[in-house]
Every structure is written in structure tokens, then in C-alpha cells.
Amino acid sequence: MKKTALFITVLTAASLLFSCAHNREYKRIDLQGEALGESGDEIQLDVIGTITPQTKVENITSDSYPDKMSIYEISPRNITNEELKAVADYMDMDGEITEKNGAPIIETADGRRLYLFKNFKNYMFLGRTADYVEMTQTDEEIEAQAKAIFNDLPIIEGEYECLGVTYVTTVSDGDDSYIVRKTISFRRLVDDLRVIGDDFCDLDFAADGLCALQLRLYDYEKTGELDMLSLDDAVDKVKTPDAFGLYSDTNRNFSGAADKLKIERTKLLFVNQYSNGCEILQPVFNLTGTAENEGGSVEFAARIIAIPERYTHE
């Protein structure tokens, strides 16, 4: 009888927790300012000019997703001065912690500086001066260097995935241009879903090695579950998406309105917009494929927020 009573008590507590979660409204994320892809090669477009009532949508995928989403409440990770010093030691930076404009900072004689932004104690930046010299390292070589550094960073917790080179900086010299910076990005995984938005870790490399590191860390606590839009629901919203863009470097004579949007790949992501007042991770469908018309084709990405509007407010 005692075991039975205990089991009922646990179920009742869990039911109350889930019930409270269902009755609560969360601030809805805004994808208009959110990067659509894993690199900087896409452009934002006017959806009204690209998608018309006559545009047809075809989904050729056979993916499936759960009908429930876990509620993960977000809290900024407080990076302590001790952790700041641990990162400095790992980077072979000799020096004591001082303050500049209210921010803890460690500076070295060779021009490197490591600090926490004063208003965001979970945002760390490491940088140094570097000349604009042409890089000769391959993407694979830079990625291997980045992984070696990231895997041993003393403050990293949880699972991450490496997205590879996500951004390059080029310099023009007359008719010639060459790459002087490459960014390798790492993103947190929660329930095997990539977290985009405020949670990030980017490492910048120059010809002579690591020249900058930027990261912002968060903790996530699971507090319940909510219903989630199905993939079919998301496909139905492709013509009125929460965000839309075309990948400019895949453009094959495409211009004007799309006759058809062919969905070829789907992915479910979590979005962290804590800095915008959003307290939980919110799931988003990323639907990618090809936009076509008589003139040509181009790859597109459409994002649809997967948390029903009844759980959110603007």
C-alpha cells in the first residue's frame, strides 16, 4: 500500500507540473532577425515577391517527428572569474584579472585579451591583433585545429556539434581577392537538436592561427512537455513562413516569383532567444529545397515555429 500511495503521489505531482506548464503562456520567438543557415551565403528576401497564391508546394521527404516537445527553461550560465582564469591558463595567457569598464579582463604583453562582457557574464571574448595575410590552410586543417581547442576548453559542458567553416573574410587587392579569416562554429545539442540563436561558440582563425573566440553559454532545465505542430502542419505554412531566404550562391538564373517550392530536406531545431525575453527553447522546422520557375532555380530555406500559438504571446 505504501508503494502504491507513493506512486500515486509522484504521478499527481508530475501531472500538476505538466498542467501548470500547459496553462502558462511563453513569449514567442521572432525569426526575422535570426540567421537562416549555417553560413553567411544566403540573402533575406521579400516573401510577398517570391511566394504568390499560385506558387505550388511539393514535399518529397518522408521524415517524421514527435507530436510533443520538451519544455526547457533557459538560464544564463554564470562564468566565474576562476573559470575565466582557467581559460586564460589553457590559452597560455599569463596575467592577472583586472577590470576595464566594469568587465573582468586578462591582457597579455603580446596583445591578447580575454574578458567577460559586463552586462552578459555568460558571454566571453578572446581576441588578438592579426595582420590581413592570405590564409593557405584548408577548411579541413582549420576545422581540426578548432576541434582540438574546443574539446579541451575547460568551461564547456554538454554536447555540441561542429558546423565546420561558417564564415570567411576576404580582402580585395586590385583585381585579386583572398581569404584572411575563417570562422569555425560549434552549436549546443539538446535532445539531439541543434540550438541556434543566443547559445553559440565561434572560433576565428587567421594565417598564423587562432585570433578570436566568442562564446555565450546557457543552462537548460526540462520542466514539462507541450504539443507540437506536425511536419504536415509546417508544410502547410511554407507559403506563410516565419522566416524565408534564398541561398544566393546556388542561384541558377532564378528571379521573380516561384512557380513551385520543392521541399527536399527537413530538420527540427531549438531556438534560444533569451536576450529577447523568451524563457524557453522553442522548436522550429527548417524546410529546405529548391524554388523553381521558368527562368531557373535556387535553393531556399523556410522556417516555421513549431510551438502552437495558443502557448505563446507576442
Side-chain angles (χ1 to χ4, degrees):
M1 291 297 294
K2 289 182 180 179
K3 290 183 178 179
T4 303
L6 177 62
F7 181 64
I8 293 174
T9 300
V10 171
L11 281 180
T12 302
S15 298
L16 286 173
L17 174 65
F18 278 45
S19 175
C20 290
H22 278 265
N23 291 333
R24 180 179 176 184
E25 282 194 354
Y26 301 95
K27 182 175 181 181
R28 194 169 185 84
I29 57 176
D30 180 5
L31 296 182
Q32 291 306 310
E34 200 69 60
L36 279 174
E38 298 172 2
S39 62
D41 62 356
E42 68 267 23
I43 54 174
Q44 289 290 112
L45 293 182
D46 179 3
V47 178
I48 297 175
T50 307
I51 303 174
T52 71
Q54 289 72 42
T55 301
K56 296 181 180 180
V57 177
E58 179 185 5
N59 177 24
I60 64 172
T61 72
S62 58
D63 301 330
S64 62
Y65 295 93
D67 58 3
K68 298 285 186 181
M69 58 160 278
S70 296
I71 303 172
Y72 281 99
E73 294 193 355
I74 306 168
S75 59
R77 165 101 175 268
N78 182 36
I79 301 176
T80 65
N81 283 1
E82 289 74 18
E83 290 174 315
L84 183 70
K85 189 66 169 65
V87 173
D89 291 342
Y90 171 68
M91 295 293 181
D92 294 325
M93 296 177 63
D94 295 327
E96 297 301 320
I97 298 177
T98 59
E99 282 200 3
K100 179 175 288 188
N101 298 323
I105 183 170
I106 297 174
E107 297 180 282
T108 61
D110 61 1
R112 289 183 295 168
R113 57 200 184 282
L114 174 67
Y115 59 88
L116 299 176
F117 275 66
K118 63 179 180 179
N119 294 327
F120 303 99
K121 294 300 184 184
N122 64 327
Y123 185 14
M124 177 182 290
F125 175 83
L126 181 151
R128 67 172 175 82
T129 56
D131 295 329
Y132 281 167
V133 177
E134 181 176 5
M135 296 186 69
T136 59
Q137 306 98 312
T138 65
D139 289 357
E140 292 75 18
E141 290 171 334
I142 294 297
E143 183 175 331
Q145 292 181 48
K147 286 180 177 179
I149 293 171
F150 180 85
N151 290 339
D152 288 333
L153 274 176
I155 60 172
I156 297 298
E157 297 177 354
E159 292 184 68
Y160 283 77
E161 65 174 330
C162 178
L163 305 186
V165 176
T166 56
Y167 192 81
V168 297
T169 301
T170 60
V171 169
S172 296
D173 183 9
D175 294 333
D176 297 327
S177 63
Y178 52 90
I179 296 174
V180 296
R181 298 280 190 281
K182 291 183 179 182
T183 300
I184 303 289
S185 295
F186 295 83
R187 294 295 181 265
R188 181 78 179 270
L189 295 176
V190 174
D191 283 349
D192 293 326
L193 300 182
R194 180 186 305 161
V195 178
I196 64 172
D198 288 347
D199 193 321
F200 61 85
C201 180
D202 293 333
L203 286 77
D204 292 354
F205 288 83
D208 57 350
L210 181 71
C211 60
L213 179 152
Q214 298 184 71
L215 59 82
R216 183 176 286 174
L217 304 178
Y218 289 86
D219 292 322
Y220 304 105
E221 180 183 2
K222 185 176 180 178
T223 59
E225 285 186 333
L226 292 176
D227 295 330
M228 189 176 75
L229 295 184
S230 68
L231 179 58
D232 288 340
D233 294 331
V235 171
D236 289 342
K237 290 177 175 288
V238 164
K239 293 174 67 171
T240 56
D242 296 294
F244 186 86
L246 299 185
Y247 292 87
S248 56
D249 67 346
T250 68
N251 193 348
R252 293 173 289 275
N253 299 317
F254 177 91
S255 63
D259 293 332
K260 182 169 69 173
L261 299 176
K262 183 187 294 184
I263 302 169
E264 300 165 342
R265 298 171 299 279
T266 72
K267 190 176 183 68
L268 190 62
L269 307 165
F270 268 139
V271 176
N272 176 336
Q273 286 189 354
Y274 185 85
S275 63
N276 194 36
C278 300
E279 300 174 337
I280 65 169
L281 292 177
Q282 297 185 36
V284 170
F285 282 108
N286 189 45
L287 310 179
T288 56
T290 305
E292 304 171 352
N293 61 22
E294 291 184 354
S297 63
V298 64
E299 292 184 11
F300 75 90
R303 284 189 173 169
I304 290 87
I305 299 171
I307 180 171
E309 291 187 10
R310 65 180 181 275
Y311 296 134
T312 62
H313 64 85
E314 297 298 330

